Amino acid sequence: MPVDDDRSDAGAPADVLDAFESVPAIIWAFEGPELRVVAANTGARASAGFRPGIVGRPIREVLPELEGQQIFEMMEEAFSADRPVSAEHRRVLVDRDGDGRLEEGFFTYTFLPTHHADGTVRGLVVHIAETTAQALRQEEAELAAAASERRYRHASEIVLELQRSLLPTGVPVLPGLVTTAHYRVAGDELAAGGDWFDVLVLPDDRVALLVGDVVGHGAGAAGAMGQLRAVALDALHAGETPAAALQRLDRFAARQRATRAASVCVAVLDPATGELEVAAHAHPPPVVVGPDGARRLAVPATTPLGTGGPAAVWVGNRVEVGETLLVYSDGLVERPGRPLGETVASLAGTVAAARRDLDDRVLDETTLPDSGVERLATVVTERMGFLGEGYEDDVTLVIAERRTPPAPFVLDLDAEPAMLAVVRRGFAGWLAEVGAGDDDVDSLVYAAVEALSNVVRHAYAGAEGPERPVRFEAELGADGVVRLTVADAGRWRPPPPGPVVGGRGVLMMRELTDDTVIEQGPAGTTVRLRRRLGRPVTIGVPPPAPEPRPRDDKLAVDLDEVAGVATVSGPVDLTTVDQLRAQLLQAARGGTRPLRIDLDAITVLSSAGVQLFHDLAGMLPELRLRVDPDGVAGAVVALTGLADRLG
């Protein structure tokens, strides 16, 4: 439609310009298919850090940090399709100061085509409103609501509960590979069903990453995907080769309609060498991304499972240290009316841009998870959801990043109480570096403190001379198991005659690890502990990054005199129990007033601390303990006979 060019009623040019500059929004005007900047108001220029020379240049040159964030693609769609395009509350990483650092922001966009007099598209006018504050408030409200009614946990949501029970709860933590998995339900949550995945360490220490998709939704699809996953895991656990397991999966899928025509991709990666083998049945190809960009793997995808087609072709490749492998379901890339090759190419570009942004330029103030692979999975699933009309199917994304294995953690110590704080700090830091979750860190640190406390109390009792050596070693094996060794050169004193008091330390070590072995001999005592590490998978929308757990080495007691509550924070172990005993007896006024002790802020509760609370329970009849039962300290309290004091 021709545009009326009579501007006599628009006002004086200076007034029009002043109004344009004063609009409390970001306004850009572009011309031509390359979207050259022809006008930008104060808000637009400010949002770009007042970069010089923006007029006359394509917007891709003016704001290069937006590459891969699907913003340019939305502009180009509005121009080429000659229709308005809008997007609400989109997370975008922006360079607000023009200094190369990216900050998180949420924006609402409207892209409106402009026209020449003959009706052909001239360019775009873009209106942008920043909605960061509103988006964060909305997110907080949604998280608060989700806290009381978590996805997949309501008893009436049978399909979701079934699906959740059929999916893995975690992925392994390995020395040469960092892995994660995200599963997101699209559309009607109660219609969820077909996607499945797994990450499995094979007997030869290679790692299998599997992603499959069953046709359909609902309880039938959920049951079918559970059957396929069980067949695949049974074959691989039994020692069958991945090729044989895939053939067995193909044969099994043909037996019933619910499993027939499913798709699957199996990637087998050797973390030590980087050698990769991939095969697929009717499944989109994996993507590998590194510092230099992303590449799609050329994997011939044969017919779907169980349809009588040829066997899958295994293709070799390589993943270098620092590169990341992504295996995903077709829900991540399938969009109606768009070729799969085009959307997979868009995925590769999005992943490359996200990896580049997250590696170097995102500031610490973000709601994204702390872990690099978790951040990448979150950003990729978000950005790919901007494509087209968003997700219309369930989305599964499994990521494995090859890394240099961490060195073992080794300390040579003197058997003195002061060594407990040294080990707590250093060992917790090493576990966090290798990728252990909070539960694994807490359990292993507790077990280590117990083993070392026994050395202090028993190994060198009555020994002469200053040397009291202790060797502390921890190593993460290729199977994802931390092997911890505490060795001394002393001789443990024999237990006194009569009833034995204590023994809780060994009990706690056994409960907090998968295996505890104590070897005693003339050369000393060695305690060997084993625990398999796991990283929880994300099902649904990922939660915000949690606050770091306190690991303070200083004991503190905060007393509320009015309520009669003593909040204890820091470690309660061999080095602090005497100090804590005096403070708590003083708080209870020698037993003349009731006392409740809050243990939630305790960072370590060793057997020495447990013994203290048993002693106090005998001295203070009205003593009560308060602790989160799901925390490690809560488990210790329940385990060691203090549960009757909770309240």
Side-chain angles (χ1 to χ4, degrees):
M1 177 181 296
V3 178
D4 182 3
D5 200 37
D6 183 4
R7 304 175 185 176
S8 60
D9 293 330
D15 294 334
V16 173
L17 177 61
D18 183 65
F20 175 73
E21 289 278 55
S22 302
V23 173
I26 298 169
I27 299 179
W28 297 87
F30 307 120
E31 283 189 359
E34 70 274 30
L35 299 177
R36 288 178 294 102
V37 178
V38 295
N41 75 341
T42 301
R45 300 195 303 277
S47 71
F50 291 104
R51 304 176 197 186
I54 63 176
V55 174
R57 295 166 57 200
I59 189 62
R60 285 183 179 269
E61 293 181 10
V62 174
L63 300 176
E65 68 267 24
L66 298 186
E67 190 70 43
Q69 299 196 47
Q70 300 296 333
I71 304 301
F72 298 142
E73 288 79 355
M74 286 192 290
M75 293 181 184
E76 291 162 356
E77 181 178 350
F79 182 93
S80 61
D82 189 14
R83 66 178 180 85
V85 173
S86 299
E88 293 186 354
H89 301 312
R90 294 291 173 87
R91 187 205 308 265
V92 181
L93 300 177
V94 295
D95 182 1
R96 296 180 187 272
D97 302 320
D99 59 1
R101 299 187 306 163
L102 300 184
E103 296 179 49
E104 180 183 78
F106 293 81
F107 300 87
T108 292
Y109 295 87
T110 302
F111 306 102
L112 296 169
T114 59
H115 302 85
H116 294 289
D118 62 359
T120 59
V121 179
R122 176 180 181 180
L124 294 179
V125 170
V126 177
H127 179 280
I128 304 172
E130 181 164 3
T131 58
T132 300
Q134 300 94 305
L136 291 177
R137 285 197 297 268
Q138 179 181 349
E139 183 177 7
E140 290 173 359
E142 290 173 351
L143 291 173
S148 61
E149 186 176 356
R150 291 290 182 188
R151 218 174 186 183
Y152 307 111
R153 293 183 182 177
H154 193 282
S156 65
E157 296 177 351
I158 300 174
V159 175
L160 291 177
E161 287 295 335
L162 171 63
Q163 187 171 41
R164 190 183 185 97
S165 68
L166 294 173
L167 291 172
T169 58
V171 292
V173 176
L174 305 170
L177 207 63
V178 186
T179 62
T180 189
H182 279 213
Y183 175 86
R184 179 175 292 193
V185 176
D188 182 1
E189 293 187 355
L190 293 180
D195 282 11
W196 63 277
F197 64 90
D198 223 306
V199 179
L200 178 69
V201 181
L202 302 178
D204 59 3
D205 292 336
R206 293 188 299 164
V207 179
L209 295 84
L210 303 92
V211 174
D213 187 4
V214 173
V215 176
H217 292 84
M225 74 89 172
Q227 291 177 329
L228 290 177
R229 176 173 175 253
V231 169
L233 292 185
D234 181 65
L236 293 173
H237 278 302
E240 293 187 23
T241 65
L246 193 55
Q247 290 173 358
R248 190 205 286 195
L249 202 61
D250 189 28
R251 293 193 299 270
F252 178 85
R255 296 177 186 171
Q256 53 183 323
R257 183 175 181 179
T259 53
R260 196 176 303 129
S263 73
V264 68
C265 180
V266 181
V268 181
L269 177 61
D270 188 335
T273 66
E275 297 300 318
L276 174 68
E277 292 183 313
V278 183
H281 278 272
H283 205 88
V287 170
V288 175
V289 61
D292 298 327
R295 65 183 188 273
R296 292 174 287 167
L297 301 186
V299 180
T302 187
T303 54
L305 290 171
T307 57
V313 177
W314 287 86
V315 176
N317 213 293
R318 184 176 179 83
V319 177
E320 302 294 343
V321 172
E323 290 191 321
T324 305
L325 172 68
L326 293 88
V327 187
Y328 52 93
S329 65
D330 56 9
L332 185 67
V333 293
E334 279 191 344
R335 298 295 184 275
R338 297 198 177 198
L340 184 62
E342 175 186 313
T343 54
V344 173
S346 181
L347 170 65
T350 298
V351 172
R355 168 73 182 264
R356 182 180 62 249
D357 294 345
L358 297 174
D359 278 353
D360 303 318
R361 303 195 292 174
V362 176
L363 300 180
D364 293 336
E365 294 79 11
T366 175
T367 58
L368 291 168
D370 290 334
S371 165
V373 292
E374 296 288 348
R375 281 189 172 192
L376 185 63
T378 300
V379 170
V380 168
T381 52
E382 272 191 2
R383 291 183 179 178
M384 288 303 294
F386 299 165
L387 194 62
E389 299 299 322
Y391 297 127
E392 296 188 359
D393 198 359
D394 297 352
V395 173
T396 297
L397 176 60
V398 178
I399 294 181
E401 182 176 299
R402 192 165 170 242
R403 66 175 176 180
T404 301
F409 181 73
V410 180
L411 291 175
D412 286 306
L413 306 158
D414 291 325
E416 300 292 343
M419 72 177 176
L420 299 182
V422 174
V423 172
R424 269 200 308 269
R425 287 193 301 268
F427 188 38
W430 180 83
L431 287 168
E433 279 187 24
V434 303
D438 281 336
D439 288 345
D440 287 331
V441 173
D442 288 338
S443 296
L444 282 166
V445 170
Y446 268 66
V449 167
E450 287 306 322
L452 291 167
S453 297
N454 279 338
V455 172
V456 172
R457 286 182 294 205
H458 305 305
Y460 296 102
E464 298 181 359
E467 294 188 1
R468 299 165 180 264
V470 184
R471 188 167 181 84
F472 184 95
E473 298 182 17
E475 184 174 11
L476 177 60
D479 54 358
V481 174
V482 168
R483 292 169 174 82
L484 173 62
T485 303
V486 176
D488 65 65
R491 294 190 177 184
W492 289 30
R493 63 185 179 188
V500 177
V501 178
R504 297 188 184 93
V506 175
L507 174 63
M508 288 167 61
M509 284 189 280
R510 295 190 189 283
E511 288 295 321
L512 295 172
T513 62
D514 300 329
D515 186 44
T516 299
V517 176
I518 301 176
E519 302 168 351
Q520 291 182 296
T525 299
T526 300
V527 178
R528 304 185 191 277
L529 307 173
R530 297 171 65 254
R531 182 178 171 101
R532 186 176 301 278
L533 302 185
R535 183 194 308 278
V537 300
T538 297
I539 297 181
V541 177
E547 292 294 325
R549 289 200 183 184
R551 302 197 186 277
D552 195 351
D553 283 321
K554 294 181 180 179
L555 177 74
V557 178
D558 183 16
L559 178 62
D560 184 335
E561 290 280 1
V562 176
V565 176
T567 300
V568 182
S569 60
V572 179
D573 60 19
L574 194 63
T575 64
T576 60
V577 287
D578 291 338
Q579 173 190 349
L580 183 59
R581 180 192 301 269
Q583 290 180 276
L584 292 178
L585 285 174
Q586 182 179 3
R589 297 175 185 171
T592 61
R593 63 174 291 182
L595 181 66
R596 175 172 291 165
I597 306 174
D598 190 324
L599 307 180
D600 280 340
I602 284 179
T603 56
V604 171
L605 178 56
S606 74
S607 57
V610 171
Q611 184 61 52
L612 166 63
F613 289 122
H614 274 286
D615 293 344
L616 291 174
M619 300 164 61
L620 308 173
E622 296 187 72
L623 176 73
R624 309 301 297 172
L625 302 177
R626 184 166 66 191
V627 65
D628 180 359
D630 295 328
V632 175
V636 170
V637 167
L639 175 69
T640 52
L642 291 169
D644 62 331
R645 289 287 175 163
L646 294 174

